[in-house]
Amino acid sequence: MSGSLVFRVTTSSGDTLALKGYSIGTTVDRVTEIHSVMQTARNNGCDLVAELVPRRTRSQSQTHPTICVFGDRCWELTRWVEGHPFNQFDDSKAIRDAVSKGATAIARFHDALRGLGGSGPFGACQPAPCIAARIHRIKEIDGDIASLFGANLNQIANPDLRRSLGKCVERLRAKWRNASGSLARSLDIQAKIPQPCSYVMRDIHHQHIFFASNPQNGLLLPVVSGIIDFDAVRVDSPATDLARWTSSFLGNGSSVQHLWDAALAGYRLQSSLNVQQEALFRGLIPATAWISLANWAIWLVLQRRSFPVEDLAIAERIEQCVRIVDSIG
C-alpha cells in the first residue's frame, strides 16, 4: 500500500533476487539511510536482513553503490528472502509461537543496531518519538472526528469497502471520545520519561517477518527466515517495533495478555526491555490500534485518498482494525 514496486527476478545462473522501486518521492538520501541500517545490521550478525546487491555498471556511483535512480524512482536489488508470512490464524498456539519467534528476530535486529543513531552503547536516551507522534495524531483526529461522523458514506462506490467503513465509523462514534482521552493521558505520562532509542523498523507487521520450515527431530518446525521492508526505519524506542508486531496478530481469537506475554518471552531470549520500555510496549498497542482505525476512515471518507491496491484489500485491512479494537475493549 506504500506505492512501492517489487519484482522477483531469476537470473540465468539460477539466483533469485528482489528488485524494488521505492515509492515516488523517496529521495536518494533517504534510501541511503535505509541501506546503511540494513548493512550495519548484517555486518553485526543479523543475517535475517536481506543482502543488498551492489551495482556493477561502469557508471557505478561510489557514493550510492546500492542505489539506481531510474525514471522517478530509486531502485535497489537484494537477495531473495525465502519463506512466507505467518498464516495459521485459526491456531492460537501457533499464533503465540509465531509472535514469540518474531519478537526474538526483532530483538536480533535491535541488538545489531545498538548505538546506531544515538550516543552511548544503547543509543540516545530521550523521550521516545513514537509517543509524541501518537499524541499529535490523536489531537489531529479529535479535530476531524465530528466531520467524519457527519459524512455520507454513499460516496464510497465499492459496497464491500463502504460496509467495512460503516463498521469503522460505528466503532469510532461509540468509543473514540473515551478511548482517545484515556490514551492521551497515558501517553502524556510516558512522554516525560527518557528511554534508550536507536534505529528500529517502526512498521513491522505480521507480513514483514517470513517463516520457513526447518526439519528437526523428524518434524517440520517453522523458523524465522528473514525480515523485509525497512522503508520506515528511524531512531525510536524498541518498544514501538514490539507493539506493531504484536498488535498485527490481534483480532484472531488470542487475548492481548497472551500475546504480550509471548512477545516479551521471545524478546527476552535475545535481549531485554527495561520497566519503562515494557510499559510503553503495552501502552502503544491500544493507541496504535485506535489511531489506525481512525486513519482509514479519515483518509478514505474525508480526504478521498486512493491507494495502489484493490478496494477489497483495503476493506480487509479495515476489518482487521475493527477486530483489533474490539479485542482490546
Side-chain angles (χ1 to χ4, degrees), residues 138 176-188:
I138 287 172
W176 171 258
R177 291 298 181 193
N178 288 338
S180 65
S182 174
L183 293 171
R185 288 190 295 272
S186 174
L187 291 171
D188 281 338

Side-chain angles (χ1 to χ4, degrees), residues 124-132 190-197 236-237 280:
C125 203
Q126 63 188 60
C130 60
I131 303 175
Q190 290 283 346
K192 299 177 176 64
I193 303 173
Q195 300 194 19
C197 292
D236 213 322
S237 168
L280 177 58

Side-chain angles (χ1 to χ4, degrees), residues 97 101 211-224:
D97 184 55
K101 289 177 178 177
F211 291 83
S213 296
N214 181 42
Q216 185 177 6
N217 296 328
L219 301 174
L220 290 177
L221 300 177
V223 296
V224 173

